[in-house]
Amino acid sequence: MLSAIIFIVCMTLTEQLFAPPYFIKSVIKLLLTLTLIGIGTALSQIGLRESVRLRKMQKAGKLIVFMIAVIPTVLLGFMLLRGFLDLPTIRQNLMQKEQLTKENCLYVFAYIALVNSFLEEAFFRGFLTEAFRRADMQKSGTLLSALAFAVYHLGIVDSWLSVPMLLLCMAALFGAALFLQAICDHYESVKASWLVHGCANLAINAVGILLIFRY
């Protein structure tokens, strides 16, 4: 729980108070994630692969279905809700605060789909829930990890959304976290939830590209 609080506070301060360029923010997130996982792994006295559930995937044959299905689901959600979103403001935020341009956005989005999704899965679905599982608190760990995942993302999108949309976004993030946890538990590896999360980020990136190039 302390690791989750430290992660959320540090990343929210980075996002809201310091607001560095995206590259610097990514380095901070990488170092913070590795530090918290490293300390937690050392204290638990188990191997890193077990600590973050980097096991070989079990029963992985149907995973491709989830990977494909999540992309149109995200895109459909955007299409249904875009009338309630201030798209020009979101675009301005992406291009000014995040310093995304038409030239660098593909590199940033590739990082988001591959690296950023892995860091979040390793921390939330791997490290946090595994620690609670070892303490015989798996259900509590699943709920707390999902809540931490939702609260962490609110620090990124809070300036984009109205209060009702912010509450809807938090509920959606909480549900997405539970879904990713179920994927991780079913396949007994954080690698499975990482692949699904990465595909969801691809769809989100497609929306970002649309905003940058069209609006």
Side-chain angles (χ1 to χ4, degrees):
M1 291 180 66
L2 180 60
S3 296
I5 292 171
I6 291 173
F7 183 86
I8 292 171
V9 170
C10 288
M11 291 309 303
T12 300
L13 289 176
T14 299
E15 185 76 36
Q16 299 291 332
L17 184 61
F18 304 112
Y22 191 85
F23 173 76
I24 301 300
K25 184 168 60 177
S26 300
V27 172
I28 293 172
K29 183 175 183 178
L30 174 64
L31 295 177
L32 179 63
T33 304
L34 294 178
T35 299
L36 291 174
I37 290 177
I39 293 174
T41 300
L43 292 175
S44 65
Q45 297 182 340
I46 64 173
L48 179 62
R49 292 177 66 86
E50 288 298 314
S51 177
V52 296
R53 306 183 75 178
L54 278 174
R55 310 180 185 107
K56 182 179 179 181
M57 286 189 292
Q58 304 294 325
K59 306 168 288 186
K62 297 181 180 179
L63 182 62
I64 187 70
V65 175
F66 295 105
M67 294 170 61
I68 294 175
V70 75
I71 295 176
T73 300
V74 172
L75 295 176
L76 178 62
F78 169 72
M79 295 299 294
L80 292 174
L81 295 174
R82 65 177 180 173
F84 301 95
L85 302 174
D86 186 351
L87 299 181
T89 298
I90 295 176
R91 177 183 185 274
Q92 183 179 17
N93 186 287
L94 289 173
M95 300 190 73
Q96 292 185 358
K97 181 181 175 183
E98 305 295 347
Q99 298 186 6
L100 293 180
T101 66
K102 294 181 179 180
E103 290 73 27
N104 69 13
C105 68
L106 293 180
Y107 299 103
V108 172
F109 290 155
Y111 164 84
I112 292 173
L114 296 174
V115 180
N116 190 67
S117 59
F118 176 76
L119 292 178
E120 292 182 1
E121 290 307 305
F123 185 76
F124 290 105
R125 252 66 65 189
F127 172 65
L128 284 184
T129 54
E130 179 65 13
F132 278 100
R133 188 193 66 79
R134 293 196 306 271
D136 292 327
M137 299 174 62
Q138 184 168 351
K139 291 184 178 179
S140 299
T142 296
L143 294 175
L144 288 171
S145 175
L147 179 61
F149 181 79
V151 172
Y152 155 68
H153 281 87
L154 289 185
I156 301 174
V157 303
D158 72 322
S159 60
W160 303 1
L161 306 173
S162 63
V163 173
M165 288 301 298
L166 198 63
L167 294 175
L168 179 61
C169 180
M170 186 169 183
L173 286 165
F174 184 81
L178 293 179
F179 171 70
L180 290 170
Q181 187 65 60
I183 294 290
C184 181
D185 292 342
H186 179 76
Y187 291 99
E188 301 178 10
S189 174
V190 78
K191 296 177 183 177
S193 56
W194 169 39
L195 292 173
V196 177
H197 190 160
C199 288
N201 281 358
L202 283 176
I204 295 172
N205 292 344
V207 173
I209 291 174
L210 174 65
L211 293 177
I212 290 175
F213 282 87
R214 179 175 177 180
Y215 291 94

